[in-house]
Structure formats: C-alpha cells, structure tokens
Amino acid sequence: MRSLFVVTALLMVLSCKRDSQPVTPSSEKIDTKSVAEAEAAAKKEIIICDQKNARIIMVDVANGNAITWEWKANAAYAMIRSGAQGWFSNLSEAKLVYNNNYILATASGGGVALINISSKKAIWYDYAGGNTHSAELLPNGNIVTASTTGGYLKIFVTDTYINDESAQTGPIAFPDVHNVVWDHARQQLYAAGKNIIRVYSYNNSCRSPALTLKKTWTMPQGNAHDLFPVHGSTTDLWLTNSGHIYKFNVVTGAFALQKTQSAVKSVTSGPSGYATILARATGVGGETWRTDQVIDIAGAVVYKNTSLGLYKARWRLVNLFSYPASDGFHECTH
C-alpha cells in the first residue's frame, strides 16, 4: 500500500508540473505559416549562377552574405546520370518557378533541368544543345529553351518518369536568341535575339507542342541578351543588349532607356527595399563574360565574393508576370 501511495503521489506531482502553464489552443497556437513568412521576410536572397565553381547558389545579403543553398550537377543529390553531368558546364540561367519551390536551370554545355529546391534533386533534365542560354516554363508544364549557337528555340514535353528521353520539337529558328519569357496574363511568349523581339502564341498541346509567331518588334540596337519581368509590373520587361538597359512595354512596344551600360548579363528588380541588381561582365572569375560581384543599377556593389565567377543573378522573389499565384508543380504527361 505504501508503494502504491508513493507512486500515486509522484504521478500527481508530475501532472501538476506538466500543466502548470496550460495553453489555450484558440489563443496560443503557433501559426506556422506566419513563422515561415516572417523567416522568409527576414532574408534577402540572390540566386547566382557561379560558373567558376560549377554551381548555383543562394546568398542572403541581409544576413552577412551567407550562402544559404548550393546545387551542383555532379552531386549525388542531383541524381543526374554521369554521362549527362557535363551538359551543365557554365550554368547560364536559374529561374524560380512553381511558387519559388523549384529552379529552372540552363547551362552553356547544353543542359536544362528542373530542380526541386528542398531536395536538390533534378526531377527532370535533358539536352537542348547549342549554348543554351535560358528556358521558360509553359502553362501545361512543358519547357521551352533558347540556344544561341545555331539560333533556335526548342520545346520539351516534360516527363519526369524518363528525364532525358523526353519528347522534343525540332529547332524553331531564331538567330542568336538569348532568352524566353512567358506572359501569364496574355498567354504568350517573348524571346529576343540580335535586334528583334518575337511574340509567340502557344498551342498548349501536351504531346504536340508548337509556337506560332504573332508579332515582331525591332529594338533600337542589336545584340539582345537578358529579358526578364520588371517586378510588380504587368506590362514591362527588362531588356539588355551590348550597351544599354531598357524597359520594354509588351503592349505598346515602347523601349524606355534606363541606363547606358555595357556587358550586362542579367537585370532583376524587386519591391521597395530591393535594389535593381545587375550581373555585369568584368572579366573576373576565369572568363571574359564573368564577374565576382553583383551591383545595383547605379553601380554600387550589392554583393562581392572573389572566389566566384558569376554569370547571372536574380532576386529570390515570386514572378507573377509569368506564372499564376500559388502555382504548383504539374506536368501534362502524367
């Protein structure tokens, strides 16, 4: 009886200690969504194609320039077969897609990959060839690439079950094309090469995808390079060429000069508190087209790391010009 009394007493004490600060579910429950949003708001990350070190990285410039994420095609987590890893030499683009949960990456070695940020797995990859400079996600999950050498666009029927055996269209001729951007509101695609911007419609076919040329705009100068949405705008794209930065209005076709600046490989803007950032080739980092710093449009250094040889840099922000809000991964093949 004495033993039973002692055990009972101990259980009562432990019970009182455990409940000494009761939580009222309705008022004290942690809102995990709010916590996640607060953590994201505290960061200010730039996604960088670091060609010198054969990787994509994210750098938090609001917190000591910490490298918060890294991806390499030859790492085990990427799950890219050994014979295809060489396709990802000289990474040329890293676009956030599917509500910032995936990266659509290309490389001058000819590779294109859709990367799950959380797992770092390339859930789909293939070979576009021709110095692949950019890619874009189409509404049904298919992917279009832009290759400068040979000058062509190509559409891949994205199939994560078979990766680099996915069906693809033949080359869609476009001399020196460097970029592709989807316009969600108008359901059309833009691409720029040399001194022209072409506007295409997409048939949204899963197995027989096709582009139809709708319109051509002539640029003030040639050598188009970067084309990317102006953050928060429903009508404007950033456009760079060999010596200028423009805002291009997709409705009027107007080119508004923003700055006379040479060798700009990428330009990206953001909301209040975010500078408009440039990756401008300075010849540092092993090749003439690379640099070791990200600057703002006025020329001030935003981030510098002498161990890098970077090519393009983008803010880690949701792109609502190209994709619907809360867009989730999908493919039309399954």
Side-chain angles (χ1 to χ4, degrees), residues 14-36:
L14 290 171
S15 178
C16 290
K17 186 175 286 187
R18 185 183 59 206
D19 297 332
S20 60
Q21 293 181 320
V23 175
T24 304
S26 60
S27 61
E28 298 293 332
K29 184 178 180 180
I30 296 174
D31 186 341
T32 54
K33 182 179 179 182
S34 296
V35 170

Side-chain angles (χ1 to χ4, degrees), residues 91-107:
L91 288 151
S92 57
E93 179 69 281
K95 284 184 178 179
L96 286 161
V97 297
Y98 291 133
N99 204 33
N100 283 14
N101 291 315
Y102 294 79
I103 286 176
L104 180 58
T106 59

Side-chain angles (χ1 to χ4, degrees), residues 159-199:
D159 190 334
T160 57
Y161 284 31
I162 57 176
N163 286 319
D164 57 322
E165 294 182 3
S166 293
Q168 56 189 266
T169 65
I172 302 164
F174 191 160
D176 202 40
V177 63
H178 271 71
N179 47 67
V180 269
V181 174
W182 181 254
D183 182 338
H184 172 64
R186 297 168 188 84
Q187 292 290 291
Q188 58 192 23
L189 185 78
Y190 310 101
K194 292 191 174 180
N195 69 331
I196 61 172
I197 296 175
R198 288 178 176 170
V199 186

Side-chain angles (χ1 to χ4, degrees), residues 71 77-82 84 87-88 102 111-116 120-128 142-143 155-168 207 329 331 333-334:
W71 182 86
Y77 55 67
M79 297 186 71
I80 294 175
R81 63 180 177 85
S82 59
W87 302 346
F88 294 91
Y102 294 79
V112 54
L114 185 60
I115 303 160
N116 182 307
K120 300 187 181 182
K121 178 184 176 181
I123 65 166
W124 175 86
Y125 63 91
D126 215 318
Y127 182 76
N142 287 343
I143 288 170
I155 303 173
F156 289 84
V157 177
T158 310
D159 190 334
T160 57
Y161 284 31
I162 57 176
N163 286 319
D164 57 322
E165 294 182 3
S166 293
Q168 56 189 266
R207 299 291 183 175
F329 170 75
E331 56 186 346
T333 49
H334 303 289

Side-chain angles (χ1 to χ4, degrees), residues 57-77:
I57 59 173
M58 295 186 195
V59 175
D60 186 356
V61 295
N63 291 284
N65 292 333
I67 295 177
T68 57
W69 188 87
E70 177 187 79
W71 182 86
K72 292 186 174 185
N74 63 359
Y77 55 67

Side-chain angles (χ1 to χ4, degrees), residues 93-269:
E93 179 69 281
K95 284 184 178 179
L96 286 161
V97 297
Y98 291 133
N99 204 33
N100 283 14
N101 291 315
Y102 294 79
I103 286 176
L104 180 58
T106 59
S108 293
V112 54
L114 185 60
I115 303 160
N116 182 307
I117 291 176
S118 178
S119 68
K120 300 187 181 182
K121 178 184 176 181
I123 65 166
W124 175 86
Y125 63 91
D126 215 318
Y127 182 76
N131 192 0
T132 313
H133 253 65
S134 189
E136 183 60 290
L137 185 67
L138 295 168
N140 62 357
N142 287 343
I143 288 170
V144 57
T145 58
S147 297
T148 60
T149 302
Y152 58 87
L153 303 174
K154 183 179 287 189
I155 303 173
F156 289 84
V157 177
T158 310
D159 190 334
T160 57
Y161 284 31
I162 57 176
N163 286 319
D164 57 322
E165 294 182 3
S166 293
Q168 56 189 266
T169 65
I172 302 164
F174 191 160
D176 202 40
V177 63
H178 271 71
N179 47 67
V180 269
V181 174
W182 181 254
D183 182 338
H184 172 64
R186 297 168 188 84
Q187 292 290 291
Q188 58 192 23
L189 185 78
Y190 310 101
K194 292 191 174 180
N195 69 331
I196 61 172
I197 296 175
R198 288 178 176 170
V199 186
Y200 297 90
S201 62
Y202 175 54
N203 67 353
N204 215 38
S205 169
C206 181
R207 299 291 183 175
S208 301
L211 298 176
T212 300
L213 182 63
K214 293 177 62 178
K215 190 175 183 64
T216 298
W217 300 96
T218 301
M219 295 165 47
Q221 301 89 22
N223 299 320
H225 197 278
D226 198 32
L227 193 68
F228 198 76
V230 174
H231 184 84
S233 175
T234 59
T235 58
D236 290 351
L237 301 176
W238 291 108
L239 169 69
T240 71
N241 59 22
S242 54
H244 307 81
I245 302 172
Y246 289 95
K247 284 184 180 178
F248 168 67
N249 187 297
V250 302
V251 177
T252 66
F255 296 86
L257 181 63
Q258 303 299 301
K259 188 177 179 68
T260 300
Q261 182 72 75
S262 63
V264 175
K265 301 304 180 182
S266 69
V267 54
T268 309
S269 52

